[in-house]
Amino acid sequence: MKNENLYNYILGIADNSLILGQRLGELCGHGPSLETDIAGTNISLDLIGQTRSYYQYATKVSEEGKTEDDIAFLRIEREYKNVLLVEQPNTHFGYVMGRQYLFDVYHLMMLQQLQFSKDETLAAIAKKGIKEVSYHKRFSGDWIKRLGDGTPESTTKMQEAINDLWGFTAELFDMTDADTAMALEGKGVDVSKLKELNELDFEQIAIWPNEVRIVVAAFVAILVGALSYYMLISPKVPIKGAAELKGQERRLQLEAKYRIAANLE
């Protein structure tokens, strides 16, 4: 295959969404409430829709006459390239939300970088997916807080779920040969750097990657400029306006007194 690295890179991204979408699909009709059930089903459909976009592109890259259904259904289990996190069972609702949130955080960071890919198709898929995955992260994050701050039972179950699932998160940042090749070509994302960003120690800024230090420095400069304006300049603006109004009022009073004096004469 001419573009084998690109093909395998696409499958690596798509298979995560496929398997997680199928896991969520198993819960259709079994949510704790109608609204939550529909929301979970919609997230499943979003993930399957993203998978189709990736697989459709993969069929063009492979040049082997495959269809998206061939890629989705006609591989043996060892040929799927998804991470183990998305395969974890639907033990209970807290477990489902914990699995979803951990993947959503990674997924959103990855897509935010992939949208700048030199591969126009991957960039387009990422830009479309960012809107959907932003909602996924907000939804699962809200439930994490709700269950974690809920009853003693929900708190215990939520903590147990995170404890069990956390061990699977390291794999999200592993780089395959295809991942590395595509990152070097500017078509893929170096997900190992996403982990570095998540683990930055503010007490060791000197050893941060240069690109990260530049971005942080620019952000701090903008923040300092904004604070300077609002704290030093902005409060003086209304004072200056009030002084001008007071001067105009004084001038009108003097003019009125002058006219009265002139009429008296």
Side-chain angles (χ1 to χ4, degrees), residues 13 22 35 39 46 49 68 78 86 93 118 145 148 155 158 222 225 232 249 253-254 263:
I13 299 174
Q22 289 179 331
E35 181 182 3
D46 287 342
E68 58 184 284
R78 294 297 179 184
V86 298
F93 185 69
K118 292 181 180 179
K145 297 172 187 175
T155 300
M158 193 69 259
I222 294 172
L232 301 177
E249 182 180 354
Q253 290 176 349
L254 291 174
N263 290 331

Side-chain angles (χ1 to χ4, degrees), residues 185-227:
E185 292 183 21
K187 296 180 179 180
V189 177
D190 187 345
V191 292
S192 64
K193 290 185 177 180
L194 299 181
K195 185 177 181 180
E196 291 176 6
L197 291 175
N198 193 47
E199 296 179 346
L200 289 177
D201 185 348
F202 282 89
E203 296 182 357
Q204 298 181 348
I205 297 177
I207 64 173
W208 286 7
N210 287 333
E211 57 269 26
V212 174
R213 283 189 286 176
I214 292 172
V215 172
V216 172
F219 174 78
V220 171
I222 294 172
L223 182 61
V224 169
L227 289 175

Side-chain angles (χ1 to χ4, degrees), residues 16 82-86 88 99 102-103 106 109 162-176 179 190-196 198-199:
N16 285 331
N82 59 279
V83 296
L84 291 176
L85 174 66
V86 298
Q88 299 313 299
R99 180 189 64 199
L102 293 175
F103 180 74
Y106 159 80
M109 289 193 300
I162 294 299
N163 292 344
D164 289 346
L165 293 165
W166 189 258
F168 296 101
T169 58
E171 186 186 6
L172 292 166
F173 306 100
D174 289 343
M175 295 283 286
T176 65
D179 294 339
D190 187 345
V191 292
S192 64
K193 290 185 177 180
L194 299 181
K195 185 177 181 180
E196 291 176 6
N198 193 47
E199 296 179 346

Side-chain angles (χ1 to χ4, degrees), residues 105-123:
V105 172
Y106 159 80
H107 198 191
L108 183 58
M109 289 193 300
M110 189 275 292
L111 291 180
Q112 288 173 335
Q113 297 299 316
L114 189 62
Q115 67 176 323
F116 303 112
S117 170
K118 292 181 180 179
D119 187 300
E120 294 182 357
T121 303
L122 289 177

